[in-house]
Every structure is written in C-alpha cells, then in structure tokens.
Amino acid sequence: MRKKIEKALKDIRPSLQADGGDVELVGVENGTVKVRLTGACAGCPMSQMTLKQGIESHIKKVIPEIVRVEAV
C-alpha cells in the first residue's frame, strides 16, 4: 500500500514543486493517508484546497480503498 501511495505522490509532486512546495508521506492507517506539506505549501492559505482537491482526489482515484488524506 505504501508503495502505491508513494507512486501516486510522485505523480503529483512536480505540480507542487513548480510552486515551491512538496509533500511527504508520514503514514497510512485504516484507509487514511497522513502527509506533511513542506516548502511553500506549509504556510500557504490555499494548502487545504491543494490537499483535498489535488492530493486527496488523485490518491483516491489511483487507490480507491483510501478513504481520506489529512495533513499532519
């Protein structure tokens, strides 16, 4: 499961890095993926939208058994 999530994050990472940010996988627990937003994403007021509409939607599309993604 962790490898699938890492691959999904690798797919969207260039978009985040283009804006000076990044994302790292912290863990997976009961269908919930925990990530840490870094760089420009860490303090961005749009980070929740990026998390839900960008990162979460992509991961859920690639790995349907994922229920949600949350930032830690």
Side-chain angles (χ1 to χ4, degrees):
M1 176 66 71
R2 192 171 179 94
K3 286 185 179 187
K4 287 182 183 180
I5 295 167
E6 287 286 3
K7 184 184 178 326
L9 290 176
K10 186 177 178 182
D11 293 342
I12 57 173
R13 188 165 275 130
S15 299
L16 297 171
Q17 291 173 340
D19 290 328
D22 208 345
V23 62
E24 60 186 48
L25 179 61
V26 174
V28 185
E29 195 174 294
N30 300 323
T32 299
V33 176
K34 296 182 180 187
V35 298
R36 181 174 295 116
L37 297 171
T38 61
C41 290
C44 177
M46 300 299 285
S47 65
Q48 281 303 309
M49 190 168 77
T50 298
L51 180 69
K52 293 297 178 183
Q53 294 179 357
I55 298 169
E56 183 177 76
S57 66
H58 180 69
I59 289 176
K60 287 169 77 174
K61 182 173 80 176
V62 175
I63 311 164
E65 56 264 34
I66 296 301
V67 176
R68 68 186 196 153
V69 177
E70 63 182 42
V72 294

